[in-house]
Amino acid sequence: MERSLLIEMTRDKYVERCKQRAFDHLDRGDLKNSVASFVGNMNARPDCELPNYLATLGGSLLTANDALGWRKLIEGLR
């Protein structure tokens, strides 16, 4: 997606879209793509970039196969 299109959407709407995509993957039982999708999409926009510790936590939850923990983490992000 073109960077200018990412910025035209409000930050809140963009974050909700990223979360919904991640939830869609989780609902299909695909934790790996949920983490990759969320981290990648959030980091695609400068005002939504995740701190390194959150991306690392996502990787840890993936390694632990903790889909519920991942869901709780992204639910709580604003």
Side-chain angles (χ1 to χ4, degrees):
M1 182 177 284
E2 210 176 296
R3 197 166 193 80
S4 64
L5 294 176
L6 296 177
I7 294 172
E8 289 177 10
M9 184 182 300
T10 67
R11 183 189 181 284
D12 289 343
K13 185 173 180 180
Y14 184 79
V15 170
E16 287 305 314
R17 177 187 268 182
C18 292
K19 289 167 74 168
Q20 187 56 55
R21 287 178 180 165
F23 291 140
D24 290 345
H25 286 290
L26 280 179
D27 291 344
R28 292 191 301 271
D30 189 355
L31 178 59
K32 180 180 178 181
N33 280 320
S34 178
V35 173
S37 169
F38 188 74
V39 172
N41 287 329
M42 289 293 286
N43 288 341
R45 186 170 155 155
D47 62 341
C48 294
E49 285 183 76
L50 295 174
N52 286 335
Y53 72 90
L54 283 179
T56 301
L57 182 55
S60 296
L61 291 167
L62 175 60
T63 300
N65 198 31
D66 187 353
L68 181 59
W70 177 245
R71 181 177 295 275
K72 292 295 181 185
L73 176 76
I74 59 179
E75 282 175 350
L77 290 175
R78 299 283 172 239

